[in-house]
Every structure is written in structure tokens, then in C-alpha cells.
Amino acid sequence: TVIGEEPPADAAFSEGCGSPDPGHGPFRRELEVEGELRSYLVRFPGSYREDYPYPLIFALHGAGGDGPEIREYAEIEAASRARAIYVYPDAVAEPGEFSRWRVGPDSPDLDFLEAIRVELSTTQCVDEARTFVLGFSSGGTMANAYACFTDRVRAFASIGGGPPVGVCAGPVAAFVGHDLHDPVVPISAGEQTRDTWRAINGCSEASRPSTPGPCESFDCEGAPLTWCVDDRIEELAHTWPSWAADAIWDFFESS
């Protein structure tokens, strides 16, 4: 997916191709979805061309967070050298509770993410064959859900999250990371996520080492699967790993 003179051979030009440069941003935008006014941050590449279909990357924050927060710590823009359109949506905070994603198959948050995808695809030049999703904690679980219950996601990455609950649409390239000592979302949730996608993607039981060091990959018939187990001190175990952004972008590019 390296941006050059020509787009990838399998790129799918969206309706919005031909639209003028929107400026770089980041821009705060709002959408009404099922009667709820929802918000998200969007950042466009500095190299924006109206005739080039850009990958669309969603980054989903953890419980109690928001879009600007994950934009800071996920560092996916730096890892990808600003060669995509980046979306940082905000989850809903119920009265008296932290903001968190609603992750079931009938979740209104699925409709929210899809509404963003449609809006950007119709107003800017998006590669509809390359929608990627990454998330941390509650956002990691939501990334699983969006990949599972739609057919729009080419690859996703979940760090410190849990598995999808329900019947998935089919294989999706999956990058799953978890810390061995996570005190908030236990390692068993990450292992369940790995095993869920290993079954969906038709992967082998055995794995082989891959980069970065905490990671291993499986041989899969349907779509690739990478599993990473970090091993940090307990106080830092439920945080975004320093190696994650580069590893996730490499995985997205190769998917």
C-alpha cells in the first residue's frame, strides 16, 4: 500500500475520488446516527491527491478515553508516515459511567463506524478495499466486532481487548496483542481472541516466530493471523506497547 505514482492494482476507488484537498486537519466532525449525535476526529494525509485512493484507518480508544487520546498514544500516523486517512471516533459515555464501546452484533456503534466510512468514502478519495481498524482495550474489543460483523474490514489489530461475540462474516487478517500480566483485561481474553480468529481464518495450531520479538504468526488458509504476548511489569501491563504502531502498520501493509 505504499503511495507512489500508481495505486495498488486491487484498489477500489470510492465515490469521493475527484474531490478537492480537504486540508490536513485534524478536524472535529459530528454525525447523527440512530438519533444520537456522535463525534470523531479525522486527519487527512499531507500528500492528499484527489485521484489517489487512500487507505482508511480507524483507531478506537479504550474505556474512559476519546479519539484525541488514542491519536496521541497509538502513533499510527508516524508509523505509516501519514499515508492514509485516519479516523478517531468517540465512544458514548452513559450517565455516571466511562465512555466505552458497545460491542454486540446489533451495536449502534457498528452503525456509527459504518456511517463514518460511508461519509468519508463519498466525500474524499478512499480505497474501499483497504479499511483497517485498530483498537486498545474496549476499543480492541470493538475492533474485533467491526471486523467480525461487517465485510468492510481488510485487517484489524486488537491490543489488550477481548474477542467478538457472535457469528462472524468470514476470515479477516487479524493482529492480536496482549500483555501476560494485564490486570484489567486478563491474558485469557487475548488467548480467546487469538483462538477465535485462528478458527475463523483456518490457521494451523503451530506458530512460527515473527517480528517484533513478542510476536508469532500462523499459517492460515483464509487470512493471516499474528499473535503477540508482551511481558512488562504489572503496573504498565494495560497500556499501549511501544512496538505496536510499527508492527501493526507493517501487518496492514502486507495484508
Side-chain angles (χ1 to χ4, degrees):
T1 316
V2 175
I3 293 177
E5 292 300 318
E6 300 295 331
D10 64 343
F13 288 72
S14 73
E15 180 184 336
C17 292
S19 300
D21 188 340
H24 304 158
F27 302 108
R28 169 67 61 186
R29 293 186 174 179
E30 293 183 333
L31 272 176
E32 186 171 327
V33 182
E34 297 185 6
E36 285 186 311
L37 188 63
R38 305 297 301 272
S39 60
Y40 67 96
L41 202 67
V42 58
R43 204 289 193 174
F44 298 97
S47 59
Y48 186 87
R49 287 167 39 189
E50 64 183 35
D51 62 341
Y52 193 96
Y54 290 88
L56 187 61
I57 301 179
F58 287 85
L60 308 179
H61 63 80
D66 59 18
E69 180 187 56
I70 193 170
R71 180 176 183 243
E72 291 298 320
Y73 67 71
E75 299 183 323
I76 191 64
E77 293 176 32
S80 58
R81 300 196 295 282
R83 292 179 292 168
I85 297 172
Y86 307 90
V87 181
Y88 305 95
D90 296 323
V92 169
E94 300 293 344
E97 295 186 8
F98 290 128
S99 61
R100 67 180 68 246
W101 298 100
R102 297 164 289 188
V103 297
D106 299 320
S107 166
D109 289 339
L110 292 174
D111 296 329
F112 174 43
L113 298 184
E114 184 61 10
I116 297 173
R117 190 197 65 78
V118 169
E119 179 175 74
L120 291 172
S121 296
T122 54
T123 58
Q124 305 303 151
C125 198
V126 170
D127 185 349
E128 296 200 85
R130 287 176 171 79
T131 295
F132 302 117
V133 187
L134 61 91
F136 171 64
S137 193
S138 171
T141 308
M142 189 65 208
N144 268 285
Y146 193 38
C148 173
F149 301 124
T150 74
D151 60 358
R152 296 295 186 176
V153 177
R154 187 182 185 104
F156 81 95
S158 171
I159 302 293
V165 179
V167 179
C168 293
V172 181
F175 184 102
V176 183
H178 220 97
D179 194 279
L180 188 64
H181 310 289
D182 194 323
V184 178
V185 181
I187 184 66
S188 58
E191 292 169 338
Q192 187 179 353
T193 305
R194 173 202 63 197
D195 293 343
T196 297
W197 288 103
R198 185 163 61 185
I200 294 168
N201 291 355
C203 303
S204 61
E205 289 291 324
S207 62
R208 61 184 185 281
S210 63
T211 54
C215 301
E216 54 191 36
S217 296
F218 296 84
D219 293 321
C220 306
E221 295 179 359
L225 169 63
T226 292
W227 163 242
C228 307
V229 180
D230 213 352
D231 188 1
R232 290 170 289 165
I233 59 173
E234 189 166 356
E235 302 94 288
L236 300 176
H238 194 67
T239 54
W240 186 262
S242 60
W243 48 261
D246 288 334
I248 289 169
W249 176 245
D250 287 347
F251 183 79
F252 285 173
E253 277 204 302
S254 65
S255 297

